[in-house]
């Protein structure tokens, strides 16, 4: 059977692959600590689970509106508008500005497919989530990688954005709080980038704000505060991360451009008809219910951040920045390149070589010899670093970092 060239060019997800590897090793009876997947370990809030039961009992099992049930769209609009209002802006979102999708991942993909055509360029500041580039390729577009630096907290600078824009540029995709770095763009950062884009009317912005509630300095700045850009701005969010609802697969996009909403709805109608009705109702109850659970989870992530940063700073060869948001640590590990694993290590036995000269090799060494699963920064466009998720218990964080510390001390 023929496989299309476009699909053949798409890479597997490294984070999902590492998560699958962790599950395989656990099923084989190995004492694995997985710090690879961005999935909160908390149970879904009780009132959300009750909403699922209520929806089943109410026979919410039929087709719904393509852009989502009206209750969820209203709740999502109110939720998104709260961040706009906190920024001091007045142009808020309404239900007709919202399209509900099967997770924020589909919302991102749909936005890119709707905006990007063959040969169009999309600016991707790296490090960034690896799926962005693959989504751009699926749309026939060209990812334009703009490298950011550790010393600048991995933030896109106005000069770098200006230099990356060409007549073929159609979109900037930007994530804050950022996966994998934990960096957060301030309101001033966003304003200065927006000033450049205001002079480029053919360039739209896709803002991935799925982690915006997991922000340790208070409320994160939102791109929706830039009212002059609203006609070419798409903001994506969802319930997966902050409500511990990853498996429910409910996300959405918000956009004030009616032509875009019509086009994206038309495309989604040919893809899925609608997101799962029971999950939509559960997401609505999550947004409309008591948000104490969100605050409690964020505070737990804050405590875990303090723990993992303290332990990571003691590890030889690691450069560590304290993340300002998300639940990821992204240390620079280049000081360990050129080191050698012990001759009797599982890593050396597998490769018949003990040299570790990349983050990929370091992550494999830690997997084989410490049973700790991490993700190389190469999966996010930054091969000098590695990502550790601290969306796991403090006990697992402590044990995982102790194992890593011991393994690195064995390098020569």
């Amino acid at each position: 059977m023929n496989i299309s060239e476009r699909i053949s060019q798409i890479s597997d997800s490294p984070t999902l692959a590492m998560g699958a590897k962790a599950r395989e090793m656990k099923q084989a009876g190995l004492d694995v600590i997985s710090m690879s997947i961005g999935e909160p370990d908390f149970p879904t809030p009780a009132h959300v689970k009750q909403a699922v039961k209520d929806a089943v009992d109410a026979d919410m099992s039929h087709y719904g509106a393509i852009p989502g049930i009206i209750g969820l769209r209203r709740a999502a609009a109110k939720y998104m508008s709260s961040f706009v209002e906190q920024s001091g802006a007045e142009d808020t979102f309404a239900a007709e500005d919202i399209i509900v999708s099967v997770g924020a991942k589909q919302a991102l993909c749909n936005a890119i497919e709707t905006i990007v055509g063959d040969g169009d360029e999309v600016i991707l500041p790296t490090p960034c989530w690896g799926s962005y580039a693959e989504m751009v390729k699926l749309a026939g577009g060209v990812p334009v990688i703009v490298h950011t630096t550790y010393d600048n907290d991995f933030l896109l600078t106005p000069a770098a954005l200006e230099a990356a824009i060409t007549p073929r540029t159609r979109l900037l995709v930007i994530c804050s709080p950022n996966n994998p770095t934990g960096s957060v763009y301030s309101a001033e950062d966003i304003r200065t980038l927006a000033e450049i884009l205001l002079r480029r009317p053919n360039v739209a912005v896709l803002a991935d704000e799925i982690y915006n509630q997991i922000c340790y300095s208070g409320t994160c700045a939102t791109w929706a505060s830039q009212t002059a850009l609203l006609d070419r701005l798409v903001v994506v969010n969802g319930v997966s991360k902050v409500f511990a609802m990853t498996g429910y697969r409910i996300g959405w996009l918000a956009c004030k451009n009616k032509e875009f909403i019509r086009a994206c709805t038309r495309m989604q109608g040919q893809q899925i008809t609608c997101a799962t009705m029971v999950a939509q109702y559960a997401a609505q109850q999550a947004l409309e219910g008591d948000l104490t659970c969100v605050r409690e989870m964020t505070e737990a992530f804050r405590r875990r951040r303090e723990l993992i940063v303290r332990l990571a700073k003691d590890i030889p060869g690691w450069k560590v920045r304290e993340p300002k948001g998300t639940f990821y640590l992204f240390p620079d590990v280049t000081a360990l390149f050129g080191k050698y694993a012990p001759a009797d290590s599982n890593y050396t036995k597998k490769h018949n070589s003990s040299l570790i000269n990349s983050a990929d090799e370091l992550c494999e060494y830690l997997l084989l010899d410490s049973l700790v699963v991490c993700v190389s920064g190469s999966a996010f466009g930054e091969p000098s670093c590695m990502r550790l998720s601290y969306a796991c218990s403090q006990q697992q964080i402590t044990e995982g970092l102790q194992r890593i510390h011991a393994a690195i001390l064995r390098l020569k």
Side-chain angles (χ1 to χ4, degrees), residues 208-219:
D208 182 352
E209 298 184 356
I210 188 69
Y211 295 97
N212 71 332
Q213 290 275 58
I214 310 174
C215 190
Y216 302 115
S217 60
T219 303

Side-chain angles (χ1 to χ4, degrees), residues 14 124-130 145-148 154 180 330 376-385:
L124 301 176
T126 59
C128 69
W129 186 46
I145 304 303
V146 179
H147 294 285
T148 62
F154 294 117
F330 201 63
S376 170
S378 62
F380 310 99
E382 184 46 73
S384 65
C385 298

